[in-house]
């Protein structure tokens, strides 16, 4: 089954066209996330030309997380960080803010946050 947020939901009022949902099937792998996420994020950024990139960093998509029921591995979070870093570099001189949003397996959360921060330091 698909996760919350349908592709046809595009926002409301002045925000119409600024919402991009990417429903993925349960257990979606890192490869599937990146295959679908990369062109969508690049399109959205090209369209809105951000002054800053905000990342709500949820690690509950990890395959060992008890809540997310997705299939992303540790390296996936490194790759996601590189992707948003490239977008920030292209559109807003690298300005990027990242906040922790989810992740419910403490050992996985610890590792993935470390990977994310390590990638941020080399952007």
């Amino acid at each position: 089954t698909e996760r919350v947020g349908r592709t046809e939901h595009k926002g409301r009022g002045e925000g119409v066209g600024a919402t991009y949902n990417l429903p993925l099937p349960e257990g979606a792998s890192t490869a599937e996330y990146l295959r679908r996420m990369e062109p969508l994020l690049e399109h959205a950024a090209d369209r809105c030309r951000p002054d800053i990139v905000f990342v709500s960093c949820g690690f509950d998509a990890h395959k060992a997380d008890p809540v997310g029921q997705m299939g992303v591995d540790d390296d996936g979070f490194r790759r996601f960080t590189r992707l948003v870093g490239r977008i920030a570099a292209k559109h807003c001189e690298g300005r990027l803010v990242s906040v922790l949003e989810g992740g419910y397996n403490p050992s996985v959360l610890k590792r993935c946050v470390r990977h994310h921060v390590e990638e941020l330091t080399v952007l």
Side-chain angles (χ1 to χ4, degrees):
T1 62
E2 289 186 344
R3 308 305 288 168
V4 177
R6 296 176 188 250
T7 55
E8 63 268 16
H9 295 163
K10 303 288 185 188
R12 295 185 204 159
E14 292 181 27
V16 169
T19 298
Y20 296 87
N21 287 312
L22 181 61
L24 293 167
E26 220 171 86
S29 68
T30 297
E32 179 70 5
Y33 260 84
L34 285 167
R35 183 182 72 75
R36 305 241 339 255
M37 185 186 302
E38 189 168 5
L40 180 67
L41 288 179
E42 288 173 349
H43 168 76
D46 288 345
R47 185 167 181 265
C48 74
R49 302 175 195 262
D51 293 323
I52 190 166
V53 172
F54 283 89
V55 178
S56 180
C57 218
F59 297 101
D60 50 345
H62 193 279
K63 63 185 177 183
D65 190 274
V67 176
Q69 300 176 338
M70 293 305 222
V72 178
D73 59 22
D74 285 29
D75 188 56
F77 292 102
R78 287 185 181 278
R79 294 169 67 187
F80 297 156
T81 303
R82 285 183 216 132
L83 171 59
V84 295
R86 283 194 315 269
I87 289 169
K90 177 180 178 182
H91 290 283
C92 52
E93 299 174 353
R95 289 186 296 271
L96 187 148
V97 173
S98 178
V99 295
L100 182 59
E101 182 261 317
Y104 306 95
N105 177 326
S107 63
V108 167
L109 181 61
K110 179 181 175 181
R111 283 194 324 264
C112 290
V113 168
R114 184 179 68 243
H115 298 324
H116 178 66
V117 171
E118 287 170 356
E119 289 299 320
L120 288 173
T121 63
V122 296
L123 293 177

